[in-house]
Amino acid sequence: MACPTCNATVVFGGKKVGSRRYCNAICAEAGYTDRIALSLPDDQVEAAALDLRNAPCPCCGEETGLEMFKSYFVYSIILYTQFSEREQLSCRRCARKRQIKDLLGSAVAGWWGLPFGIVATPTYIVANLFAMIRNPLKRPPSKALKEQARAIIATEIVEQHAHAA
């Protein structure tokens, strides 16, 4: 059986909540938070996403608009290649710093593996360039920002119940 939170295999023990078996208490609590997040009404999440968009940037403190920005990084050596897609809640300026860092890092460290490094490196460089050009602040809050707002609300609810108990 797999843990519903982290997908780890649970053979013996673990933590059972209702009909679900988690690998440990931490995953069980995260599962509780996820269940609360899924039960939140969409209009509440939408309003929280708009509030979050207008909050100060967690990286620099500026109030220029927040969104979930992606950056892409590839590292490769001989027969090993590691790909990563990073998501960051920040203002556009801080996101660009991360994207430039990942673009340059990929340009330096991505080429050195066969066969994937040579193929993936230009792809990840172009993906970072497109991510830097795109301005999601001109659109309504993204699905990723709404999910971040949903997670924040659910975590606050769990913390309020923990302090009340």
Side-chain angles (χ1 to χ4, degrees), residues 26 35 78 124 162:
I26 295 168
R35 289 189 301 280
I78 306 172
Y124 276 50

Side-chain angles (χ1 to χ4, degrees), residues 61-80:
E62 295 291 319
E63 294 186 14
T64 58
L66 297 183
E67 186 55 75
M68 295 297 292
F69 290 93
K70 288 186 178 181
S71 67
Y72 307 89
F73 180 75
V74 60
Y75 166 81
S76 185
I77 186 163
I78 306 172
L79 295 174
Y80 175 78

Side-chain angles (χ1 to χ4, degrees), residues 28-48:
E29 186 174 323
Y32 176 66
T33 305
D34 289 344
R35 289 189 301 280
I36 289 173
L38 291 172
S39 71
L40 296 171
D42 289 340
D43 58 335
Q44 181 183 5
V45 172
E46 184 78 30

Side-chain angles (χ1 to χ4, degrees), residues 15-16 22 24 30 71 78 93 100 111 148:
K15 174 91 172 159
K16 190 167 184 178
Y22 297 89
N24 57 39
S71 67
I78 306 172
R93 193 177 97 224
I100 290 169
W111 303 100
Q148 184 72 25

Side-chain angles (χ1 to χ4, degrees), residues 95-153:
R96 277 204 173 144
K97 286 179 187 178
R98 169 94 263 159
Q99 291 159 340
I100 290 169
K101 190 185 258 186
D102 283 350
L103 184 150
L104 294 174
S106 294
V108 170
W111 303 100
W112 308 108
L114 293 173
F116 300 112
I118 293 172
V119 175
T121 301
T123 305
Y124 276 50
I125 289 172
V126 169
N128 276 311
L129 289 172
F130 276 117
M132 287 167 35
I133 292 168
R134 196 176 139 260
N135 186 0
L137 295 172
K138 292 184 177 180
R139 297 184 189 97
S142 68
K143 183 178 178 183
L145 185 66
K146 290 176 187 175
E147 290 305 311
Q148 184 72 25
R150 184 181 297 276
I152 289 170
I153 295 169

